[in-house]
Amino acid sequence: MTGTETAVLREMRWWDIDSVLELERDLFPEDAWSRGMFWSELAHARGPGATRCYVVAQEGDRIVGYAGLTTSGAESDGGGAGDGGGSVQAADVQTIAVTRDHWGTGLGSRLLTELLRAATAFECAEVLLECRVDNVRAQKLYERFGFETIGVRRGYYQPGNVDALVMRLTDPSTSVNPANPVDGNGVQGTETNG
């Protein structure tokens, strides 16, 4: 079996960008990220001021999946816990991708679990994401983790002019059970929050 048992999750590093780009272009030919976008994200993924978490799934010498999350302050509906104001830490899932031969193996769930663990470590009160309206597979994955649709962004994905569902998970720590890790194969080599 592939995906669940044999892929190792670890921190994405600059030397992974070429392999990630190859997968990105294969899976998202119309709206693939550029090399510069990945470099920019990774520049904020290490050290004490880290605001990003990017991981890859590696099977042997092959990258078979990747995922990334960013954090920022967001306005809450009624004020954050203990902050006295209306600002809470929020996370945004930027990307999750798995090679076609690993679809249905649970690898996407493992990657999402790692992102939710990172959001919890960043002390985020909620996690947001955009999902193509025609990507039912991804929508089902997010719903299993407790994400709910809260809106639609018309024409979000360009150049195809495809709408995006905006989905939100409140309290990501409730979707990640630290007492029951996915398989003990967590992200390796990470420094502070990333």
Side-chain angles (χ1 to χ4, degrees):
M1 178 104 198
T2 60
T4 302
E5 291 88 9
T6 60
V8 174
L9 301 188
R10 64 170 175 78
E11 176 185 13
M12 184 188 294
R13 298 302 306 273
W14 65 266
W15 51 81
D16 297 313
I17 291 177
D18 285 340
S19 296
V20 167
L21 275 174
E22 188 176 314
L23 182 54
E24 174 84 2
R25 290 176 183 141
D26 177 51
L27 294 173
F28 312 111
E30 287 188 355
D31 52 5
W33 282 22
S34 68
R35 180 181 314 279
M37 290 170 78
F38 280 107
W39 272 101
S40 178
E41 290 297 295
L42 292 183
H44 299 283
R46 302 193 106 210
T51 58
R52 311 289 198 275
C53 174
Y54 278 78
V55 296
V56 294
Q58 184 169 345
E59 194 171 67
D61 292 335
R62 181 177 169 226
I63 299 295
V64 295
Y66 59 92
L69 167 125
T70 184
T71 64
S72 63
E75 293 302 311
S76 70
D77 294 333
D83 66 7
S87 181
V88 296
Q89 189 77 348
D92 190 53
V93 174
Q94 298 293 298
T95 186
I96 294 182
V98 174
T99 58
R100 286 180 178 86
D101 62 324
H102 284 72
W103 287 0
T105 66
L107 185 55
S109 292
R110 286 182 58 206
L111 288 165
L112 183 55
T113 296
E114 288 302 329
L115 294 185
L116 295 178
R117 284 183 180 148
T120 300
F122 280 122
E123 299 180 353
C124 294
E126 64 182 12
V127 179
L128 299 163
L129 60 83
E130 288 85 15
C131 182
R132 289 176 63 110
V133 295
D134 57 359
N135 191 344
V136 177
R137 177 186 301 272
Q139 291 169 36
K140 295 213 178 290
L141 169 67
Y142 301 137
E143 288 167 357
R144 281 196 313 268
F145 277 78
F147 282 85
E148 296 177 336
T149 300
I150 60 170
V152 175
R153 291 197 172 146
R154 302 280 178 218
Y156 182 79
Y157 292 99
Q158 295 296 328
N161 201 35
V162 178
D163 295 345
L165 296 178
V166 179
M167 302 181 81
R168 178 176 61 197
L169 173 67
T170 55
D171 194 3
S173 66
T174 61
S175 288
V176 180
N177 182 357
N180 186 20
V182 175
D183 66 358
N185 185 10
V187 177
Q188 301 171 349
T190 53
E191 292 185 356
T192 309
N193 292 327

